[in-house]
């Protein structure tokens, strides 16, 4: 795993971690899966931190959207950022941990 995965220590929305991720994805295609703290504040800060790193046509996927603050954060993020939309076509299963959480960059 260490050959293909870079582990970073710190908060996923912390300035130092975001800086390291930005450097790692520069010039590359990126997709982000958010599955750490599921509070409204934390998910919203992650969405804001990583939104500009995702190329058009790729995704930010938010895990565990039901029963947490994640869905509220998604709604607010989409209201303030018209570069993304929810991609309901990705929700193919009857039961999902990502309801409303497939955010596709469209511009």
């Amino acid at each position: 795993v260490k050959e293909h995965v870079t582990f970073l220590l710190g908060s996923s929305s912390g300035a130092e971690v975001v800086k390291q991720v930005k450097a790692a994805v520069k010039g590359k295609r990126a997709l982000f899966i958010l599955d750490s703290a599921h509070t409204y504040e934390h998910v919203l800060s992650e969405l804001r931190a990583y939104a500009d790193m995702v190329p058009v046509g790729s995704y930010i996927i938010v895990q565990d959207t039901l029963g947490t603050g994640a869905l509220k954060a998604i709604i607010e993020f989409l209201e303030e950022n018209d570069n993304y939309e929810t991609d309901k076509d990705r929700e193919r299963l009857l039961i999902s941990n990502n309801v409303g959480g497939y955010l596709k960059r469209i511009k």
Side-chain angles (χ1 to χ4, degrees):
V1 171
K2 290 181 182 180
E3 188 177 320
H4 301 287
V5 177
T6 301
F7 293 93
L8 303 176
L9 184 60
S11 172
S12 58
S13 61
E16 187 57 36
V17 169
V18 172
K19 180 181 172 182
Q20 290 176 54
V21 172
K22 190 172 195 166
V25 301
K26 186 175 182 175
K28 299 177 182 174
R29 190 152 174 82
L31 175 145
F32 291 92
I33 299 175
L34 308 183
D35 191 20
S36 60
H38 301 296
T39 64
Y40 159 78
E41 294 84 4
H42 187 77
V43 173
L44 186 56
S45 68
E46 287 179 315
L47 289 167
R48 288 173 175 163
Y50 294 107
D52 290 340
M53 296 182 218
V54 176
V56 173
S58 193
Y59 290 84
I60 298 176
I61 302 169
V62 182
Q63 299 278 20
D64 303 321
T65 56
L66 299 179
T68 67
L71 195 54
K72 181 180 175 188
I74 290 168
I75 292 166
E76 184 169 328
F77 173 75
L78 292 174
E79 287 174 354
E80 68 186 36
N81 191 327
D82 65 353
N83 292 329
Y84 284 84
E85 68 182 11
T86 300
D87 186 352
K88 291 289 189 182
D89 289 339
R90 296 293 175 187
E91 295 180 36
R92 298 181 180 127
L93 303 174
L94 181 60
I95 299 173
S96 172
N97 290 328
N98 311 83
V99 175
Y102 291 93
L103 307 181
K104 183 176 184 178
R105 182 148 189 193
I106 57 170
K107 59 181 177 175

